[in-house]
Amino acid sequence: MLASHEWLKAFVPHALGPTEVGRLVSAHVATLDSQEALRADLAPFVVGRVVESQKIPDTKLSANKVDDGSGELLDVVCGAPNVTVGARYPFARTGTTMPGGQLTIERRKIRGFTSDGMLCSSRELGLGAEHDGILELYTDAAPGTPLLDVLPAGDVRFEFDVLANRPDLLSQRGLARELALLTGVPMQTPPELQRVPTMPPAVHGARQAGAGDVSVRIEDPDGCPRYCAAVIRGVRVGPSPAWLADRLAGVGARSINNVVDATNYALHGLGQPMHAFDLAALAGATIVVRRAKPGEPITTLDGHARTLDHDTLVIADGERPQAIAGVMGGRDSEVTEATTDVLLEVAYFDPRRVRAGRKRAGVSSDASYRFERGVDRAATLDLLALGCGLVTAAAGGTVESVLDVGSAPGALPPVRLRTARLERVLGARVPDAEVERLLSAVGFTLAPEPNGDAGEGRVR
Amino acid sequence: MLLSDYLATSERVLADARALLDALDPATRLDDAKGRLNALKDAPLAELQGAMRAIAPEDRRAAGQAFNALKTGLTDALAAFEARQQAAAARGPALDLTMPARERWRGAVHPVTAVIEEICAIFRELGFTVAAGPEAEHAWYNFGALNFPENHPAMDMHDTLYLAGADGASDAALLRTHTSPVQVRTLQTHRPPVRVLAPGNVYRRDFFDATHAPAFAQVEGLAVDEGVSFVDLKATLATFARRFYGGSRRVRFGPSYFPFTEPSAQMDVEVDLRDGRGLRWVEILGCGMVHPRVLEAAGVDSERYTGWAFGMGPARIAMSRHDIPDIRALYDSDVRFLDQFAR
């Protein structure tokens, strides 16, 4: 399970560094397998302070003395107009490789002046487009301090070993829930999830529902107890806005286009796989959730032509399968630059059927991984609203209709927790108030059992 | 005796002696040559000496000369052999002293076996006895009794080799994927208190690569009694780690998951892998409190009894102990590799 330090912080605005986050989660929630600074290329840069500066006549250049903490002042020639004596800037010592790997700083003579290092602009560091001058650091940090210590740049990606009993941890929001408990900092809603578009009321149906010329029908309610869909018209498919691309980059997901990226935000951020179909490619503007017919073909998004069998649950249109349910979409209905109307799918599939489908197809995906372990079965419609918010924020468009077919599978049964048993098994007394604090912090509601001796936890 | 017989006999003895000495390898020791010569000549010589009296008086002179000639001939023949021997010695030995000696192979305990034996020795002192179970196992013991949900992703880590019956069917026979079935088998046959250790081979449908082997050793431990808690688990396993790795070693427990224990944990030990990076946390075992469903499946009252269990991989421990980067080295049976442990 990949997690992004910045994305987690968007849910829990804690003040811890990535190493401390990794340690906390590893000790209490899931083992940290690896941790990677995405801007590790900035690690060699240090804080440099300009001690002296003089203009080189007839040029835009200045000859400077820079303190890089080495104990020796270095001669550095700089072309920026904003070099100020006493100010601190990102400094690349001789031998430092610049971001991109194309240029390594060497000691050389410029107009007869020695230059032993470089003061850097935002653009040179890959931190922005600013190139009118060097990047002044508003810090008191001693010269020689690593730049990343004073200018946290770039995300940190964690890989946690989330085991099969904790599907709730397979999202940034789920991990953040634990992090909120561990840090004592309450959760918040990131700005990108606060935007809820105008949603028409959902059209409900036990087995089928329709709105306008679009309809959804479940023929296999065992495999798919609930299928929610929204029709969003007028999207402009293109590159993702920076906020979305950055989030996905944090967890190592490739940016594809703004609509697909919005669904991938839901997958990685909220733990709910979503799929966007190009509505124009769905024959009859219809969704049919059914078993595949033996020998039915599909070409999935990874470009493989596959032959389906009766055990595989598919999302079909009026004619043929357009996706292997919960596993992978089909190429024929993928969202492309030409797409203007999409049908956004948010569903609950039987984990066993998704498992069977992906085993038959011989392919697994981030989506099947989550469906197999179980997604939040009570929240399908709420998640669809969040998905519509993400898609319209990233690609525009308006939500024309919302369809809600089937029903939420029965609520999970309550979990009975006897405090006396807790002590017997753990061998240590955990005060009732502490039990309540820990469980309610991660979303349980608690109700005492009638005999008064024990507590009972219920899933939210 | 007729003179003619006497002469013939003495000539034959001399001829035989010469033939013997000529045929001898010049490397034969002189004592050996003399011994073999004596064995050939002593009896006929005594016989010829005794026969002298039976010779006609007029022939005795000729017989005496023949006898003396025989003795001289024997002495000369031995001298000739000695000369031949000395000449051969001067030419040098016939064997090649630069030829490598034949190596004496010494056996040694396999590094994985050594780890298993050490683990068993420590737990024996802590009151555990060794139990065993079959490597070909019923699916029920391997999965069902251990609270594996059917068709659950937890089974992915346990893709195994089925011997008979459909994959996943509870009456199928398979190669056990872990030693945990021994927990159930032990509880079915022994009433608590139970403290057992079960080392054995397990099988997974894994590729044989640097970090995976399709067959490998595991050591399982189980303690079930009234009033047993996670505190016992921590104390016992921490004691084990300190005995195994050394007294000052730090250990820590972190969250984990196994269907057959709740709660589940992993134990890490701070180990120096001798790669220049100093002490590092290394996971050495998984453990937890035995799930009540496992106790019930084995016919043990889960309200009265509690228990804890652990499982560890001695191959991984051997790898970190000897700085072995590839697990295949442990199972390839390459004597050049294994011989290092005999020294």
Side-chain angles (χ1 to χ4, degrees):
Chain A
M1 167 65 196
L2 297 171
S4 141
H5 184 53
E6 292 299 325
W7 207 341
L8 291 175
K9 276 205 300 198
F11 282 106
V12 183
H14 63 79
L16 303 178
T19 303
E20 185 62 9
V21 169
R23 197 194 62 77
L24 266 181
V25 174
S26 209
H28 295 278
V29 185
T31 309
L32 176 70
D33 281 342
S34 65
Q35 180 181 326
E36 181 192 354
L38 299 187
R39 288 307 307 271
D41 55 346
L42 293 183
F45 292 81
V46 296
V47 174
R49 191 172 74 95
V50 175
V51 179
E52 286 174 27
S53 181
Q54 62 178 90
K55 286 274 169 210
I56 300 177
D58 305 325
T59 67
K60 291 187 197 164
L61 304 173
S62 58
N64 310 282
K65 295 269 186 202
V66 173
D67 178 3
D68 73 336
S70 62
E72 203 174 320
L73 295 184
L74 300 171
D75 292 311
V76 177
V77 175
C78 183
N82 65 331
V83 181
T84 310
V85 171
R88 290 168 168 82
Y89 305 97
F91 182 65
R93 289 173 173 144
T94 293
T96 301
T97 298
M98 298 302 290
Q102 299 297 312
L103 176 69
T104 298
I105 302 301
E106 290 166 8
R107 183 190 171 121
R108 58 189 180 123
K109 289 256 184 197
I110 301 170
R111 302 248 170 166
F113 291 84
T114 301
S115 190
D116 194 4
M118 185 168 99
L119 296 163
C120 308
S121 72
S122 292
R123 197 171 75 187
E124 283 159 345
L125 295 175
L127 293 173
E130 176 66 42
H131 195 54
D132 293 339
I134 51 179
L135 175 64
E136 183 164 358
L137 300 170
Y138 298 96
T139 172
D140 294 330
T145 305
L147 176 66
L148 286 175
D149 286 2
V150 300
L151 182 79
D155 206 345
V156 173
R157 186 186 301 155
F158 303 102
E159 184 167 9
F160 293 113
D161 185 16
V162 172
L163 297 168
N165 63 327
R166 294 300 303 272
D168 62 308
L169 299 179
L170 294 176
S171 68
Q172 311 303 309
R173 188 166 67 170
L175 281 168
R177 200 181 287 136
E178 299 281 337
L179 207 50
L181 170 60
L182 295 172
T183 58
V185 177
M187 283 190 77
Q188 66 177 22
T189 304
E192 64 265 23
L193 291 175
Q194 287 174 9
R195 192 193 137 132
V196 179
T198 314
M199 299 276 286
V203 180
H204 299 276
R207 295 291 289 274
Q208 59 182 14
D213 55 355
V214 180
S215 67
V216 169
R217 186 167 81 245
I218 298 177
E219 290 185 355
D220 184 351
D222 292 334
C224 177
R226 192 174 192 190
Y227 194 101
C228 298
V231 175
I232 306 173
R233 291 196 193 269
V235 296
R236 288 173 306 281
V237 180
S240 283
W243 63 264
L244 181 52
D246 286 350
R247 289 274 185 257
L248 295 182
V251 295
R254 193 164 54 96
S255 181
I256 294 166
N257 61 47
N258 47 8
V259 173
V260 174
D261 287 359
T263 65
N264 281 334
Y265 181 106
L267 173 93
H268 294 285
L270 308 172
Q272 171 71 47
M274 299 187 182
H275 187 67
F277 295 94
D278 183 341
L279 187 58
L282 296 177
T286 286
I287 288 287
V288 182
V289 188
R290 60 168 169 84
R291 284 177 182 273
K293 293 167 193 153
E296 253 184 327
I298 185 173
T299 299
T300 42
L301 285 172
D302 56 6
H304 284 276
R306 301 173 189 281
T307 306
L308 304 169
D309 68 18
H310 193 60
D311 288 335
T312 302
L313 186 70
V314 295
I315 313 302
D317 59 15
E319 293 167 1
R320 61 211 158 97
Q322 293 289 359
I324 301 175
V327 180
M328 196 175 281
R331 174 151 282 185
D332 292 349
S333 53
E334 82 177 300
V335 171
T336 65
E337 303 270 322
T339 304
T340 56
D341 303 330
V342 300
L343 183 137
L344 181 66
E345 161 198 297
V346 182
Y348 181 84
F349 300 114
D350 181 342
R352 287 165 299 183
R353 296 295 299 282
V354 174
R355 184 176 163 81
R358 75 107 173 131
K359 282 200 152 189
R360 297 261 168 185
V363 59
S364 61
S365 62
D366 285 333
S368 68
Y369 194 85
R370 284 163 179 78
F371 278 123
E372 269 186 65
R373 284 157 179 77
V375 298
D376 188 347
R377 48 175 141 185
T380 314
L381 200 55
D382 296 339
L383 287 162
L384 180 65
L386 290 176
C388 289
L390 287 164
V391 170
T392 53
T398 52
V399 183
E400 184 190 77
S401 58
V402 174
L403 303 173
D404 175 13
V405 184
S407 56
L412 290 165
V415 178
R416 199 158 160 257
L417 179 70
R418 294 170 292 162
T419 50
R421 171 95 186 164
L422 192 64
E423 187 174 348
R424 274 187 62 203
V425 172
L426 294 183
R429 172 117 186 88
V430 186
D432 288 357
E434 179 68 356
V435 172
E436 201 168 332
R437 184 184 77 84
L438 293 171
L439 289 177
S440 50
V442 291
F444 286 93
T445 55
L446 291 120
E449 281 216 312
N451 68 17
D453 177 39
E456 183 188 352
R458 270 179 205 284
V459 176
R460 181 175 57 174
Chain B
M1 185 184 248
L2 291 173
L3 178 64
S4 58
D5 289 345
Y6 195 94
L7 296 178
T9 303
S10 60
E11 273 166 28
R12 181 175 49 77
V13 171
L14 186 59
D16 285 355
R18 281 182 177 142
L20 170 81
L21 291 171
D22 283 350
L24 275 186
D25 184 323
T28 310
R29 281 173 35 223
L30 194 58
D31 283 353
D32 279 355
K34 276 182 182 166
R36 294 167 75 167
L37 181 62
N38 291 343
L40 176 97
K41 71 168 173 58
D42 282 359
L45 233 53
E47 193 191 330
L48 286 174
Q49 200 161 13
M52 191 66 81
R53 259 170 274 137
I55 297 287
E58 65 275 20
D59 292 336
R60 280 195 190 153
R61 183 182 171 83
Q65 282 171 345
F67 187 73
N68 286 336
L70 170 60
K71 282 174 73 173
T72 311
L74 288 171
T75 308
D76 289 351
L78 192 62
F81 170 75
E82 204 175 339
R84 195 156 64 87
Q85 190 197 41
Q86 277 165 2
R91 282 199 305 273
L95 64 152
D96 178 2
L97 290 176
T98 63
M99 191 167 84
R102 196 169 292 175
E103 191 167 352
R104 285 174 180 238
W105 290 98
R106 235 178 329 165
V109 177
H110 190 279
V112 173
T113 311
V115 169
I116 293 173
E117 284 175 358
E118 276 178 56
I119 293 168
C120 289
I122 292 169
F123 278 100
R124 222 175 261 130
E125 285 179 27
L126 295 172
F128 285 71
T129 52
V130 170
E135 292 182 17
E137 188 54 282
H138 292 287
W140 185 80
Y141 280 104
N142 197 73
F143 293 126
L146 292 169
N147 194 39
F148 276 80
E150 265 180 57
N151 247 321
H152 192 267
M155 306 265 288
D156 284 355
M157 292 193 301
H158 287 260
D159 257 359
T160 189
L161 302 148
Y162 284 87
L163 301 172
D167 286 12
S170 64
D171 60 347
L174 48 79
L175 293 175
R176 67 179 179 187
T177 59
H178 49 178
T179 41
S180 303
V182 182
Q183 289 188 25
V184 182
R185 289 184 174 273
T186 303
L187 290 173
Q188 282 181 328
T189 51
H190 296 73
R191 293 292 96 189
V194 162
R195 287 191 153 220
V196 292
L197 204 63
N201 288 325
V202 302
Y203 302 85
R204 301 271 170 97
R205 206 158 64 192
D206 263 335
F207 289 107
F208 199 21
D209 63 23
T211 53
H212 298 89
F216 55 96
Q218 219 174 45
V219 178
E220 185 87 9
L222 172 73
V224 176
D225 199 355
E226 285 181 64
V228 166
S229 75
F230 204 90
V231 170
D232 301 277
L233 176 157
K234 278 182 75 171
T236 312
L237 294 180
T239 301
F240 160 75
R242 294 200 180 99
R243 291 222 187 145
F244 190 87
Y245 284 102
S248 57
R249 231 32 97 85
R250 291 201 299 163
V251 300
R252 70 177 185 191
F253 289 81
S256 190
Y257 167 66
F258 309 100
F260 39 97
T261 50
E262 185 63 45
S264 303
Q266 66 176 52
M267 185 174 83
D268 305 340
V269 181
E270 223 174 12
V271 179
D272 186 353
L273 295 178
R274 288 179 289 179
D275 57 359
R277 285 166 59 188
L279 287 173
R280 202 164 350 140
W281 290 108
V282 174
E283 179 188 349
I284 61 156
L285 57 83
C287 56
M289 297 302 294
V290 180
H291 200 292
R293 284 195 201 130
V294 175
L295 294 174
E296 295 294 338
V300 174
D301 180 355
S302 66
E303 285 297 314
R304 184 173 165 197
Y305 295 103
T306 45
W308 57 272
F310 68 88
M312 62 176 115
R316 278 180 205 291
I317 293 172
M319 285 168 75
S320 72
R321 165 182 285 188
H322 298 293
D323 202 12
I324 300 167
D326 191 325
I327 197 170
R328 287 172 291 198
L330 291 172
Y331 294 112
D332 270 348
S333 301
D334 184 333
V335 266
R336 291 169 302 179
F337 169 78
L338 294 173
D339 189 41
Q340 304 173 83
F341 301 98
R343 290 167 202 280

PDB file of all heavy atoms in Angstrom, chain B residues 5-28:
ATOM      1  N   ASP B   5      70.939 -85.836  -9.357  1.00  0.00           N
ATOM      2  CA  ASP B   5      69.776 -85.193  -8.709  1.00  0.00           C
ATOM      3  C   ASP B   5      70.220 -84.017  -7.855  1.00  0.00           C
ATOM      4  O   ASP B   5      69.593 -82.951  -7.828  1.00  0.00           O
ATOM      5  CB  ASP B   5      69.049 -86.208  -7.835  1.00  0.00           C
ATOM      6  CG  ASP B   5      68.304 -87.259  -8.671  1.00  0.00           C
ATOM      7  OD1 ASP B   5      68.150 -86.989  -9.905  1.00  0.00           O
ATOM      8  OD2 ASP B   5      67.868 -88.289  -8.128  1.00  0.00           O
ATOM      9  N   TYR B   6      71.349 -84.267  -7.112  1.00  0.00           N
ATOM     10  CA  TYR B   6      71.843 -83.216  -6.220  1.00  0.00           C
ATOM     11  C   TYR B   6      72.171 -81.951  -7.006  1.00  0.00           C
ATOM     12  O   TYR B   6      71.782 -80.843  -6.638  1.00  0.00           O
ATOM     13  CB  TYR B   6      73.085 -83.748  -5.478  1.00  0.00           C
ATOM     14  CG  TYR B   6      73.474 -82.918  -4.272  1.00  0.00           C
ATOM     15  CD1 TYR B   6      73.016 -83.260  -2.991  1.00  0.00           C
ATOM     16  CD2 TYR B   6      74.284 -81.788  -4.417  1.00  0.00           C
ATOM     17  CE1 TYR B   6      73.381 -82.497  -1.895  1.00  0.00           C
ATOM     18  CE2 TYR B   6      74.650 -81.018  -3.331  1.00  0.00           C
ATOM     19  CZ  TYR B   6      74.201 -81.385  -2.062  1.00  0.00           C
ATOM     20  OH  TYR B   6      74.546 -80.617  -0.972  1.00  0.00           O
ATOM     21  N   LEU B   7      72.863 -82.172  -8.118  1.00  0.00           N
ATOM     22  CA  LEU B   7      73.262 -81.019  -8.925  1.00  0.00           C
ATOM     23  C   LEU B   7      72.042 -80.320  -9.524  1.00  0.00           C
ATOM     24  O   LEU B   7      71.943 -79.091  -9.549  1.00  0.00           O
ATOM     25  CB  LEU B   7      74.215 -81.464 -10.050  1.00  0.00           C
ATOM     26  CG  LEU B   7      75.569 -82.049  -9.570  1.00  0.00           C
ATOM     27  CD1 LEU B   7      76.424 -82.513 -10.776  1.00  0.00           C
ATOM     28  CD2 LEU B   7      76.332 -81.012  -8.766  1.00  0.00           C
ATOM     29  N   ALA B   8      71.107 -81.149  -9.978  1.00  0.00           N
ATOM     30  CA  ALA B   8      69.904 -80.578 -10.597  1.00  0.00           C
ATOM     31  C   ALA B   8      69.119 -79.730  -9.592  1.00  0.00           C
ATOM     32  O   ALA B   8      68.665 -78.618  -9.887  1.00  0.00           O
ATOM     33  CB  ALA B   8      69.012 -81.696 -11.147  1.00  0.00           C
ATOM     34  N   THR B   9      69.001 -80.284  -8.347  1.00  0.00           N
ATOM     35  CA  THR B   9      68.253 -79.540  -7.324  1.00  0.00           C
ATOM     36  C   THR B   9      68.921 -78.211  -7.017  1.00  0.00           C
ATOM     37  O   THR B   9      68.271 -77.157  -6.955  1.00  0.00           O
ATOM     38  CB  THR B   9      68.138 -80.394  -6.044  1.00  0.00           C
ATOM     39  OG1 THR B   9      67.525 -81.635  -6.373  1.00  0.00           O
ATOM     40  CG2 THR B   9      67.320 -79.667  -4.987  1.00  0.00           C
ATOM     41  N   SER B  10      70.253 -78.253  -6.830  1.00  0.00           N
ATOM     42  CA  SER B  10      70.915 -76.999  -6.476  1.00  0.00           C
ATOM     43  C   SER B  10      70.793 -75.971  -7.610  1.00  0.00           C
ATOM     44  O   SER B  10      70.594 -74.777  -7.372  1.00  0.00           O
ATOM     45  CB  SER B  10      72.360 -77.243  -6.084  1.00  0.00           C
ATOM     46  OG  SER B  10      73.081 -77.821  -7.152  1.00  0.00           O
ATOM     47  N   GLU B  11      70.836 -76.415  -8.851  1.00  0.00           N
ATOM     48  CA  GLU B  11      70.685 -75.473  -9.965  1.00  0.00           C
ATOM     49  C   GLU B  11      69.268 -74.876 -10.011  1.00  0.00           C
ATOM     50  O   GLU B  11      69.070 -73.702 -10.281  1.00  0.00           O
ATOM     51  CB  GLU B  11      70.979 -76.179 -11.303  1.00  0.00           C
ATOM     52  CG  GLU B  11      72.457 -76.132 -11.641  1.00  0.00           C
ATOM     53  CD  GLU B  11      72.835 -77.090 -12.770  1.00  0.00           C
ATOM     54  OE1 GLU B  11      71.961 -77.375 -13.619  1.00  0.00           O
ATOM     55  OE2 GLU B  11      74.001 -77.549 -12.781  1.00  0.00           O
ATOM     56  N   ARG B  12      68.300 -75.747  -9.700  1.00  0.00           N
ATOM     57  CA  ARG B  12      66.918 -75.269  -9.732  1.00  0.00           C
ATOM     58  C   ARG B  12      66.671 -74.206  -8.651  1.00  0.00           C
ATOM     59  O   ARG B  12      66.098 -73.158  -8.896  1.00  0.00           O
ATOM     60  CB  ARG B  12      65.952 -76.449  -9.529  1.00  0.00           C
ATOM     61  CG  ARG B  12      64.478 -76.052  -9.581  1.00  0.00           C
ATOM     62  CD  ARG B  12      63.569 -77.288  -9.501  1.00  0.00           C
ATOM     63  NE  ARG B  12      63.898 -78.192  -8.419  1.00  0.00           N
ATOM     64  CZ  ARG B  12      63.579 -77.962  -7.142  1.00  0.00           C
ATOM     65  NH1 ARG B  12      62.943 -76.849  -6.802  1.00  0.00           N
ATOM     66  NH2 ARG B  12      63.909 -78.825  -6.214  1.00  0.00           N
ATOM     67  N   VAL B  13      67.241 -74.470  -7.452  1.00  0.00           N
ATOM     68  CA  VAL B  13      67.046 -73.496  -6.356  1.00  0.00           C
ATOM     69  C   VAL B  13      67.656 -72.165  -6.754  1.00  0.00           C
ATOM     70  O   VAL B  13      67.062 -71.096  -6.568  1.00  0.00           O
ATOM     71  CB  VAL B  13      67.685 -74.046  -5.055  1.00  0.00           C
ATOM     72  CG1 VAL B  13      67.698 -72.959  -3.973  1.00  0.00           C
ATOM     73  CG2 VAL B  13      66.922 -75.252  -4.573  1.00  0.00           C
ATOM     74  N   LEU B  14      68.879 -72.213  -7.336  1.00  0.00           N
ATOM     75  CA  LEU B  14      69.531 -70.961  -7.730  1.00  0.00           C
ATOM     76  C   LEU B  14      68.709 -70.229  -8.800  1.00  0.00           C
ATOM     77  O   LEU B  14      68.491 -69.011  -8.736  1.00  0.00           O
ATOM     78  CB  LEU B  14      70.939 -71.252  -8.249  1.00  0.00           C
ATOM     79  CG  LEU B  14      71.790 -70.014  -8.570  1.00  0.00           C
ATOM     80  CD1 LEU B  14      71.948 -69.138  -7.330  1.00  0.00           C
ATOM     81  CD2 LEU B  14      73.160 -70.423  -9.118  1.00  0.00           C
ATOM     82  N   ALA B  15      68.197 -71.040  -9.751  1.00  0.00           N
ATOM     83  CA  ALA B  15      67.404 -70.412 -10.821  1.00  0.00           C
ATOM     84  C   ALA B  15      66.134 -69.767 -10.262  1.00  0.00           C
ATOM     85  O   ALA B  15      65.770 -68.628 -10.615  1.00  0.00           O
ATOM     86  CB  ALA B  15      67.038 -71.455 -11.884  1.00  0.00           C
ATOM     87  N   ASP B  16      65.484 -70.489  -9.350  1.00  0.00           N
ATOM     88  CA  ASP B  16      64.260 -69.943  -8.732  1.00  0.00           C
ATOM     89  C   ASP B  16      64.569 -68.655  -7.968  1.00  0.00           C
ATOM     90  O   ASP B  16      63.831 -67.662  -8.048  1.00  0.00           O
ATOM     91  CB  ASP B  16      63.657 -70.976  -7.771  1.00  0.00           C
ATOM     92  CG  ASP B  16      62.961 -72.122  -8.514  1.00  0.00           C
ATOM     93  OD1 ASP B  16      62.887 -72.027  -9.764  1.00  0.00           O
ATOM     94  OD2 ASP B  16      62.502 -73.071  -7.856  1.00  0.00           O
ATOM     95  N   ALA B  17      65.709 -68.683  -7.223  1.00  0.00           N
ATOM     96  CA  ALA B  17      66.046 -67.504  -6.418  1.00  0.00           C
ATOM     97  C   ALA B  17      66.292 -66.297  -7.321  1.00  0.00           C
ATOM     98  O   ALA B  17      65.833 -65.189  -7.055  1.00  0.00           O
ATOM     99  CB  ALA B  17      67.245 -67.808  -5.556  1.00  0.00           C
ATOM    100  N   ARG B  18      67.032 -66.560  -8.434  1.00  0.00           N
ATOM    101  CA  ARG B  18      67.312 -65.443  -9.349  1.00  0.00           C
ATOM    102  C   ARG B  18      66.014 -64.889  -9.950  1.00  0.00           C
ATOM    103  O   ARG B  18      65.828 -63.682 -10.045  1.00  0.00           O
ATOM    104  CB  ARG B  18      68.238 -65.916 -10.478  1.00  0.00           C
ATOM    105  CG  ARG B  18      69.688 -65.987 -10.004  1.00  0.00           C
ATOM    106  CD  ARG B  18      70.580 -66.410 -11.171  1.00  0.00           C
ATOM    107  NE  ARG B  18      71.970 -66.411 -10.738  1.00  0.00           N
ATOM    108  CZ  ARG B  18      72.884 -67.307 -11.118  1.00  0.00           C
ATOM    109  NH1 ARG B  18      72.528 -68.293 -11.946  1.00  0.00           N
ATOM    110  NH2 ARG B  18      74.123 -67.241 -10.707  1.00  0.00           N
ATOM    111  N   ALA B  19      65.155 -65.842 -10.318  1.00  0.00           N
ATOM    112  CA  ALA B  19      63.883 -65.409 -10.923  1.00  0.00           C
ATOM    113  C   ALA B  19      63.078 -64.554  -9.931  1.00  0.00           C
ATOM    114  O   ALA B  19      62.519 -63.504 -10.282  1.00  0.00           O
ATOM    115  CB  ALA B  19      63.048 -66.624 -11.344  1.00  0.00           C
ATOM    116  N   LEU B  20      63.094 -64.985  -8.675  1.00  0.00           N
ATOM    117  CA  LEU B  20      62.355 -64.230  -7.645  1.00  0.00           C
ATOM    118  C   LEU B  20      62.903 -62.819  -7.508  1.00  0.00           C
ATOM    119  O   LEU B  20      62.165 -61.830  -7.554  1.00  0.00           O
ATOM    120  CB  LEU B  20      62.449 -64.971  -6.294  1.00  0.00           C
ATOM    121  CG  LEU B  20      61.938 -64.181  -5.093  1.00  0.00           C
ATOM    122  CD1 LEU B  20      60.411 -64.263  -5.015  1.00  0.00           C
ATOM    123  CD2 LEU B  20      62.538 -64.670  -3.779  1.00  0.00           C
ATOM    124  N   LEU B  21      64.245 -62.754  -7.375  1.00  0.00           N
ATOM    125  CA  LEU B  21      64.836 -61.437  -7.128  1.00  0.00           C
ATOM    126  C   LEU B  21      64.736 -60.539  -8.369  1.00  0.00           C
ATOM    127  O   LEU B  21      64.517 -59.334  -8.250  1.00  0.00           O
ATOM    128  CB  LEU B  21      66.298 -61.605  -6.700  1.00  0.00           C
ATOM    129  CG  LEU B  21      66.456 -62.232  -5.304  1.00  0.00           C
ATOM    130  CD1 LEU B  21      67.918 -62.586  -5.035  1.00  0.00           C
ATOM    131  CD2 LEU B  21      65.928 -61.284  -4.227  1.00  0.00           C
ATOM    132  N   ASP B  22      64.851 -61.123  -9.536  1.00  0.00           N
ATOM    133  CA  ASP B  22      64.734 -60.321 -10.748  1.00  0.00           C
ATOM    134  C   ASP B  22      63.332 -59.724 -10.897  1.00  0.00           C
ATOM    135  O   ASP B  22      63.155 -58.615 -11.412  1.00  0.00           O
ATOM    136  CB  ASP B  22      65.036 -61.184 -11.993  1.00  0.00           C
ATOM    137  CG  ASP B  22      66.551 -61.406 -12.128  1.00  0.00           C
ATOM    138  OD1 ASP B  22      67.282 -60.717 -11.374  1.00  0.00           O
ATOM    139  OD2 ASP B  22      66.949 -62.235 -12.959  1.00  0.00           O
ATOM    140  N   ALA B  23      62.362 -60.496 -10.441  1.00  0.00           N
ATOM    141  CA  ALA B  23      60.966 -60.045 -10.620  1.00  0.00           C
ATOM    142  C   ALA B  23      60.575 -58.971  -9.598  1.00  0.00           C
ATOM    143  O   ALA B  23      59.571 -58.285  -9.752  1.00  0.00           O
ATOM    144  CB  ALA B  23      60.017 -61.238 -10.512  1.00  0.00           C
ATOM    145  N   LEU B  24      61.418 -58.854  -8.540  1.00  0.00           N
ATOM    146  CA  LEU B  24      61.025 -57.902  -7.477  1.00  0.00           C
ATOM    147  C   LEU B  24      61.155 -56.453  -7.947  1.00  0.00           C
ATOM    148  O   LEU B  24      62.087 -56.104  -8.669  1.00  0.00           O
ATOM    149  CB  LEU B  24      61.915 -58.116  -6.246  1.00  0.00           C
ATOM    150  CG  LEU B  24      61.498 -59.211  -5.249  1.00  0.00           C
ATOM    151  CD1 LEU B  24      62.435 -59.151  -4.038  1.00  0.00           C
ATOM    152  CD2 LEU B  24      60.063 -59.015  -4.805  1.00  0.00           C
ATOM    153  N   ASP B  25      60.208 -55.641  -7.505  1.00  0.00           N
ATOM    154  CA  ASP B  25      60.263 -54.202  -7.737  1.00  0.00           C
ATOM    155  C   ASP B  25      61.499 -53.668  -7.010  1.00  0.00           C
ATOM    156  O   ASP B  25      61.712 -53.996  -5.847  1.00  0.00           O
ATOM    157  CB  ASP B  25      58.978 -53.583  -7.140  1.00  0.00           C
ATOM    158  CG  ASP B  25      58.894 -52.097  -7.412  1.00  0.00           C
ATOM    159  OD1 ASP B  25      59.938 -51.421  -7.387  1.00  0.00           O
ATOM    160  OD2 ASP B  25      57.759 -51.612  -7.635  1.00  0.00           O
ATOM    161  N   PRO B  26      62.330 -52.879  -7.674  1.00  0.00           N
ATOM    162  CA  PRO B  26      63.528 -52.380  -6.982  1.00  0.00           C
ATOM    163  C   PRO B  26      63.206 -51.506  -5.775  1.00  0.00           C
ATOM    164  O   PRO B  26      64.089 -51.232  -4.958  1.00  0.00           O
ATOM    165  CB  PRO B  26      64.252 -51.581  -8.071  1.00  0.00           C
ATOM    166  CG  PRO B  26      63.246 -51.325  -9.138  1.00  0.00           C
ATOM    167  CD  PRO B  26      62.235 -52.424  -9.075  1.00  0.00           C
ATOM    168  N   ALA B  27      61.937 -51.077  -5.638  1.00  0.00           N
ATOM    169  CA  ALA B  27      61.582 -50.282  -4.461  1.00  0.00           C
ATOM    170  C   ALA B  27      61.346 -51.170  -3.237  1.00  0.00           C
ATOM    171  O   ALA B  27      61.200 -50.666  -2.129  1.00  0.00           O
ATOM    172  CB  ALA B  27      60.318 -49.466  -4.747  1.00  0.00           C
ATOM    173  N   THR B  28      61.328 -52.491  -3.412  1.00  0.00           N
ATOM    174  CA  THR B  28      61.115 -53.400  -2.278  1.00  0.00           C
ATOM    175  C   THR B  28      62.255 -53.257  -1.273  1.00  0.00           C
ATOM    176  O   THR B  28      63.419 -53.135  -1.660  1.00  0.00           O
ATOM    177  CB  THR B  28      61.068 -54.859  -2.778  1.00  0.00           C
ATOM    178  OG1 THR B  28      60.170 -54.938  -3.867  1.00  0.00           O
ATOM    179  CG2 THR B  28      60.633 -55.800  -1.673  1.00  0.00           C
TER     180      THR B  28
END
